[in-house]
Amino acid sequence: AQSVTQLGSHVSVSEGALVLLRCNYSSSVPPYLFWYVQYPNQGLQLLLKYTTGATLVKGINGFEAEFKKSETSFHLTKPSAHMSDAAEYFCAVTHSGGYQKVTFGIGTKLQVIP
Amino acid sequence: DAGVTQSPTHLIKTRGQHVTLRCSPISGHKSVSWYQQVLGQGPQFIFQYYEKEERGRGNFPDRFSARQFPNYSSELNVNALLLGDSALYLCASSPMDSSQPQHFGDGTRLSIL
């Protein structure tokens, strides 16, 4: 079984401030972890992924995330928020196996205040 | 290269009707998955198909069915529509290897009156 918990359904930051979106996962096997972004009336766009190897992964638009097995966490960060970062962000988990059931969190809506 | 395409983009139906949603995957992708995203929630897994066979099914009633065609495109069918079926239906394609991320279409917005 696998699950994702995103703490904070809404997060507000000032433009230029640090962005921190929290994600904790549960998985009975080594997980594959993803962060996706969704803009209004659009599908999901991949920001970054962790499968194996380096635990600090860098993605598009200046985002990065660190896989911490001991804390079962995969938090998303960006040093300086831009207005264009306002969107909804989803953390997702799956694992190596016969098929690709991906479990998503409920999402965190990021507001960037000018 | 074209991304995942879904049709139609919007659809309005009434209770009890049925609906067919269509998805064309990225060229070379053999796996297609369907998700339901209710307003304010994350996507919920409905089905995954690979090589025309169902490989996974989420916790949805039998009113939901799908199939994949030889060209890897897919249809999602929902019968006896309920108000609660109103949602954004997302299709995603990928290579079968689950370490590769899924690529999503922009979805079909289904409204049930």
Side-chain angles (χ1 to χ4, degrees):
Chain A
Q2 58 192 27
S3 67
V4 172
T5 301
Q6 290 186 242
L7 298 177
S9 58
H10 289 80
V11 170
S12 293
V13 300
S14 299
E15 191 175 15
L18 171 72
V19 175
L20 170 59
L21 304 182
R22 299 179 186 274
C23 172
N24 288 89
Y25 70 91
S26 172
S27 178
S28 55
V29 296
Y32 294 159
L33 295 160
F34 306 87
W35 275 100
Y36 287 88
V37 62
Q38 187 177 33
Y39 296 98
N41 300 314
Q42 293 186 21
L44 279 71
Q45 179 184 5
L46 179 73
L47 282 176
L48 47 79
K49 67 173 183 177
Y50 169 81
T51 54
T52 59
T55 57
L56 180 63
V57 292
K58 296 184 183 298
I60 62 171
N61 302 336
F63 285 94
E64 62 182 37
E66 186 171 10
F67 170 64
K68 292 187 176 181
K69 184 179 179 181
S70 61
E71 299 177 8
T72 61
S73 69
F74 191 58
H75 301 331
L76 182 70
T77 61
K78 181 174 180 178
S80 176
H82 294 174
M83 295 300 295
S84 61
D85 295 327
E88 191 151 22
Y89 293 80
F90 293 94
C91 182
V93 63
T94 187
H95 58 83
S96 173
Y99 71 94
Q100 233 182 358
K101 178 181 177 179
V102 181
T103 300
F104 286 83
I106 64 169
T108 297
K109 189 163 288 187
L110 177 66
Q111 180 185 21
V112 181
I113 303 167
Chain B
D1 286 343
V4 176
T5 57
Q6 292 187 242
S7 63
T9 55
H10 294 84
L11 203 52
I12 299 174
K13 292 286 188 178
T14 57
R15 283 177 295 175
Q17 287 188 310
H18 70 272
V19 68
T20 298
L21 310 181
R22 295 178 174 83
C23 172
S24 293
I26 290 173
S27 177
H29 285 187
K30 299 182 178 180
S31 173
V32 169
S33 297
W34 287 95
Y35 294 84
Q36 181 195 65
Q37 186 178 19
V38 174
L39 196 63
Q41 300 290 323
Q44 297 292 314
F45 174 76
I46 309 176
F47 287 110
Q48 193 228 12
Y49 275 77
Y50 177 72
E51 291 284 11
K52 296 175 289 181
E53 290 188 7
E54 180 183 308
R55 296 301 183 96
R57 183 184 183 114
N59 188 25
F60 280 81
D62 292 343
R63 300 185 295 107
F64 289 77
S65 63
R67 55 180 175 168
Q68 186 177 33
F69 299 98
N71 66 355
Y72 304 112
S73 67
S74 178
E75 286 182 353
L76 175 69
N77 295 284
V78 187
N79 294 324
L81 287 166
L82 303 174
L83 291 177
D85 295 331
S86 295
L88 180 67
Y89 288 85
L90 295 165
C91 173
S93 76
S94 67
M96 183 55 181
D97 181 1
S98 57
S99 70
Q100 298 302 313
Q102 296 181 330
H103 296 259
F104 285 81
D106 285 340
T108 294
R109 174 76 61 186
L110 176 63
S111 299
I112 311 301
L113 302 180

